[in-house]
Amino acid sequence: MNDYRPLLQAWDLYLFAEGRHHHPHHFLGAHRREVDGVEGVLFAVWAPNAQRISVVGDFNQWDGRRHPMWRHEGGVWECFIPAVSEGERYKYELLGADDRLCLKSDPYGRRFELRPADASIIEQSHYQWGDEAWLQQRAQNDWLHAPMSIYEVHLGSWKKDEQYHFLDYRRLAEELPAYVKELGFTHIELLPVTEHPLDASWGYQCSGYFAATARFGDPDGLRALIDACHQQGIGVILDWVPAHFPRDEHALARFDGTPLYEHADPKRGEHKDWGTLVFDYGRPEVKAFLIASAIYWLEDFHIDGLRVDAVASMLYLDYSRKDGEWSPNVHGGRENLEAIALLRDLNTLIGAEHPGVLTMAEESTAWPAVSHPVHEGGLGFSMKWNMGWMNDTLDYIHLEPIHRKHHHHRLTFGLTYAFSENFVLPLSHDEVVHLKRSLLEKLPGNRAQQLAGLRLLYLWQYTTPGKKLLFMGAELAQPHEWDWDAPLDWSLLEKPEHCGIHDYLGALNQLYKEHPALHAHDFEACGFQWLNADDADNSVYSFARHGDGRTLVVVLNFTPVVRTGYRLPLPGEGKGRRLLSSAGPDVATEYFEAERVGCHGREWSALVDLPGLVGVVYEFEM
């Protein structure tokens, strides 16, 4: 029997019930404690509709009669068990409101068994961080005007070991940060590494919101990976999924025999397309759970940013639902008011208490002011993925060059709204899987033309306003789409044409970081100027980027036709010097001097030679 009660503090329980406790993970879950000189573990779980709960585990032969829990008003149960050791497995045995006896993993568990096993594990970190300088610098960083190029990574398929097994966090710490630094990226974004039951979900159906997945080792191993990134000057962004969770019986679904974490109304509580459940964002304890999960990763793992998945599905009650399949809000509208409140509260809290930490929304609609401050009516995200730019760009580059002149606006349209949000330009994992083909395969022509088109695509991305994101393998020019169950094809680096793409992307990152014109005003119209947006007949685009008193001129030829003596409009009188050509260091005009010859409404211009399927960046001294 439990002779140590109650140990939880009334004030913590009150704030939790109000949804205003930002750290309920400090008392819910399993925590090492000393009570009356006795060392043990205090277990606590929220299950207001359970008829009884016991803690079962290695320490009591999984016998539910040994350690029954004691219930507080409000539905939090607790039990202190002496002499329980770190690393022991446990679950909660619940008699639910539906009279079913079940075993549940701990919603606040910080470590789990390797799937398919699913018990929680008592965990206490012993990691000693070495990233103090990074954290101090991060808090002072002006990310709005700083370069940000993100290497998106699925840890399970970046590399495999000699036995074709996953690399563990510590081996990844030895290899991944150094590789990313060599390529010149500023950040890594991890596809979800929160615990999840199914490899094929890539982590997007999460069952452990406070646990690093055991696929790659223990939680301190993940801390070592993040620390290694920071010591290499690389930020780490975590893909975080508050939009839905799986139905697995051992986890959150009908946790106490009732819809507890999920909304009770199936019209709000289910994603039929995904086969998952939707959180009840209006329930205070669920709101506290989600906010605490986000804060936990920032504080306990030193994460530098959260990319929030599937935000559109949270914002709209009718998301992917037909008429009659959704319930309107109290005002009769389709906006999910509770989810909106959650996102605003979370972003406000992070902005106030964690300076320098970023939040990014994967939001695929035209919802207004996603990245605007909450006090201005926005959702408060730091940035938003620009899915419109991505779709328009990939639609355009898929076209045969002869047809591109009829769709010239697809690349220019994005600049009409480019400064309405703080945009990230993503070429993510979602675009190279499920028969969508690799970026290289999306391009028309023979292999040489595809490789030239890929270089041109990357130059367009890196010179267009917005922060940058590329999925792993983009630097290898993989000729096949992403296989989440296999490593990247590293043997491609033995081929000059693929190694050339790798080196070219490194050069792009270097150029992007060295020249403020390419990053200092990503979110301000003063940083971009069209020189000629209307040359559809030639499928040529030219524009200027401004920053730090300097100007770069960019010209892109999206056909294989060589444009000899092309008249390039310029922002004024001056001279141009080639900084980078997508076709190599000696391709395209190296220098030019402006002439007072009118072109496309501009007083000054110059003649340049443009090879086919080539983009060029010039430094322009006015």
Side-chain angles (χ1 to χ4, degrees):
M1 295 295 291
N2 181 11
D3 296 323
Y4 301 88
R5 66 173 191 255
L7 297 174
L8 299 181
Q9 299 298 308
W11 183 242
D12 284 330
L13 296 174
Y14 171 76
L15 289 177
F16 176 64
E18 291 281 307
R20 295 188 290 119
H21 206 304
H22 301 150
H23 298 85
H25 54 289
H26 286 176
F27 61 90
L28 292 171
H31 297 275
R32 298 281 299 169
R33 290 279 293 270
E34 182 179 312
V35 179
D36 298 334
V38 177
E39 292 188 355
V41 173
L42 177 61
F43 297 87
V45 64
W46 175 61
N49 302 302
Q51 299 181 55
R52 68 167 180 85
I53 308 179
S54 296
V55 184
V56 296
D58 295 331
F59 40 82
N60 62 13
Q61 291 73 53
W62 298 85
D63 185 346
R65 298 168 297 179
R66 298 278 298 276
H67 293 107
M69 303 186 80
W70 185 80
R71 187 184 191 279
H72 288 268
E73 184 178 353
V76 173
W77 301 68
E78 70 164 271
C79 178
F80 177 76
I81 305 178
V84 175
S85 302
E86 182 181 339
E88 293 195 77
R89 300 173 304 153
Y90 72 97
K91 282 190 176 185
Y92 297 115
E93 182 183 275
L94 292 89
L95 181 61
D98 55 1
D99 293 324
R100 293 181 62 228
L101 190 67
C102 59
L103 290 175
K104 289 285 190 177
S105 302
D106 190 345
Y108 287 84
R110 301 191 180 193
R111 186 176 176 186
F112 290 88
E113 292 182 283
L114 178 62
R115 53 86 181 99
D118 53 32
S120 306
I121 297 175
I122 295 167
E123 171 71 10
Q124 183 172 350
S125 176
H126 301 281
Y127 190 75
Q128 298 296 315
W129 289 90
D131 63 349
E132 294 83 0
W134 168 269
L135 296 179
Q136 291 174 9
Q137 180 272 333
R138 185 186 74 184
Q140 305 300 321
N141 186 39
D142 179 14
W143 59 264
L144 279 166
H145 302 99
M148 176 175 286
S149 58
I150 304 166
Y151 185 74
E152 188 189 31
V153 183
H154 176 255
L155 292 183
S157 59
W158 183 65
K159 283 186 179 180
K160 302 277 191 179
D161 70 12
E162 295 76 7
Q163 289 75 43
Y164 213 71
H165 298 151
F166 296 136
L167 299 188
D168 66 22
Y169 293 122
R170 286 177 173 82
R171 181 163 172 185
L172 284 161
E174 295 172 0
E175 299 189 27
L176 181 58
Y179 177 77
V180 172
K181 182 179 182 179
E182 179 189 10
L183 268 175
F185 287 94
T186 66
H187 289 72
I188 292 170
E189 181 176 317
L190 302 176
L191 268 65
V193 293
T194 41
E195 194 58 86
H196 51 282
L198 182 65
D199 289 9
S201 79
W202 316 331
Y204 287 99
Q205 294 194 12
C206 173
S207 56
Y209 277 79
F210 295 83
T213 176
R215 288 166 176 80
F216 315 118
D218 60 35
D220 277 354
L222 178 57
R223 290 181 174 92
L225 171 57
I226 295 166
D227 199 358
C229 288
H230 289 170
Q231 294 186 45
Q232 293 272 14
I234 304 295
V236 182
I237 299 163
L238 176 67
D239 221 331
W240 184 65
V241 189
H244 62 129
F245 60 92
R247 297 173 179 269
D248 297 66
E249 289 192 1
H250 73 273
L252 299 179
R254 295 187 64 87
F255 189 80
D256 62 0
T258 69
L260 188 65
Y261 286 90
E262 66 270 39
H263 202 289
D265 182 354
K267 293 182 178 181
R268 294 197 181 188
E270 298 180 8
H271 271 311
K272 292 185 178 180
D273 287 354
W274 301 338
T276 53
L277 301 174
V278 181
F279 285 103
D280 184 351
Y281 302 110
R283 192 160 195 163
E285 298 91 344
V286 174
K287 181 178 180 181
F289 170 83
L290 289 171
I291 288 179
S293 170
I295 297 302
Y296 172 71
W297 292 104
L298 303 183
E299 294 182 348
D300 284 50
F301 283 81
H302 295 196
I303 289 291
D304 302 293
L306 298 173
R307 181 266 194 183
V308 183
D309 180 63
V311 170
S313 74
M314 299 174 66
L315 296 175
Y316 298 97
L317 294 169
D318 63 345
Y319 182 87
S320 194
R321 293 178 173 88
K322 301 175 183 178
D323 290 344
E325 293 181 350
W326 61 281
S327 301
N329 62 34
V330 293
H331 304 297
R334 64 188 186 118
E335 300 82 10
N336 191 329
L337 303 178
E338 293 82 7
I340 294 166
L342 166 71
L343 294 172
R344 285 175 168 166
D345 288 351
L346 174 62
N347 286 323
T348 299
L349 177 65
I350 291 174
E353 298 190 1
H354 299 278
V357 170
L358 306 176
T359 58
M360 302 177 183
E362 186 213 17
E363 202 287 306
S364 55
T365 75
W367 186 279
V370 171
S371 59
H372 292 211
V374 171
H375 68 265
E376 295 179 3
L379 293 182
F381 284 94
S382 309
M383 304 180 200
K384 170 182 172 174
W385 276 25
N386 192 338
M387 309 302 283
W389 174 90
M390 177 274 297
N391 283 317
D392 288 343
T393 294
L394 295 184
D395 285 349
Y396 180 82
I397 63 112
H398 173 73
L399 296 167
E400 292 287 344
I402 196 171
H403 300 306
R404 287 176 177 169
K405 65 181 179 180
H406 303 297
H407 303 272
H408 195 73
H409 66 283
R410 289 193 179 176
L411 293 195
T412 61
F413 177 68
L415 273 299
T416 65
Y417 62 84
F419 308 106
S420 62
E421 299 275 7
N422 299 335
F423 280 124
V424 175
L425 309 181
L427 294 173
S428 75
H429 66 281
D430 278 328
E431 313 318 318
V432 293
V433 73
H434 294 325
L435 303 181
K436 294 181 182 178
R437 300 181 294 172
S438 71
L439 292 178
L440 187 68
E441 288 179 300
K442 294 177 191 290
L443 290 154
N446 58 34
R447 184 48 52 88
Q449 290 172 324
Q450 288 178 319
L451 288 164
L454 191 64
R455 288 169 171 265
L456 188 55
L457 168 62
Y458 293 161
L459 188 63
W460 163 246
Q461 180 188 28
Y462 269 75
T463 56
T464 303
K467 307 308 181 187
K468 323 302 176 187
L469 181 141
L470 279 167
F471 184 52
M472 64 181 200
E475 77 277 18
L476 306 179
Q478 289 210 144
H480 51 77
E481 68 176 22
W482 173 46
D483 179 357
W484 58 266
D485 200 28
L488 298 181
D489 188 357
W490 294 100
S491 67
L492 291 171
L493 290 178
E494 299 171 8
K495 301 178 180 180
E497 62 272 26
H498 292 272
C499 185
I501 294 289
H502 177 278
D503 294 345
Y504 168 70
L505 192 52
L508 264 182
N509 272 316
Q510 190 68 24
L511 180 79
Y512 169 66
K513 290 188 292 186
E514 287 182 352
H515 292 272
L518 292 178
H519 62 252
H521 300 290
D522 273 327
F523 310 133
E524 302 159 292
C526 65
F528 180 87
Q529 178 186 17
W530 277 118
L531 300 176
N532 191 344
D534 301 321
D535 191 1
D537 286 342
N538 291 313
S539 295
V540 174
Y541 303 80
S542 56
F543 51 88
R545 296 296 307 273
H546 305 288
D548 197 22
R550 303 172 74 180
T551 294
L552 301 185
V553 168
V554 182
V555 57
L556 309 167
N557 178 7
F558 276 93
T559 73
V561 179
V562 177
R563 309 293 178 189
T564 302
Y566 182 82
R567 178 65 65 177
L568 174 65
L570 297 170
E573 182 180 8
K575 297 180 180 180
R577 176 177 67 91
R578 187 184 66 220
L579 295 177
L580 184 143
S581 165
S582 67
D586 302 319
V587 179
T589 298
E590 184 173 4
Y591 297 98
F592 63 76
E593 186 167 350
E595 305 173 283
R596 198 170 226 146
V597 176
C599 177
H600 196 67
R602 302 200 174 275
E603 183 179 2
W604 296 88
S605 65
L607 292 177
V608 296
D609 293 336
L610 285 177
L613 295 175
V614 165
V616 191
V617 180
Y618 293 99
E619 185 174 36
F620 187 66
E621 296 183 7
M622 299 178 68

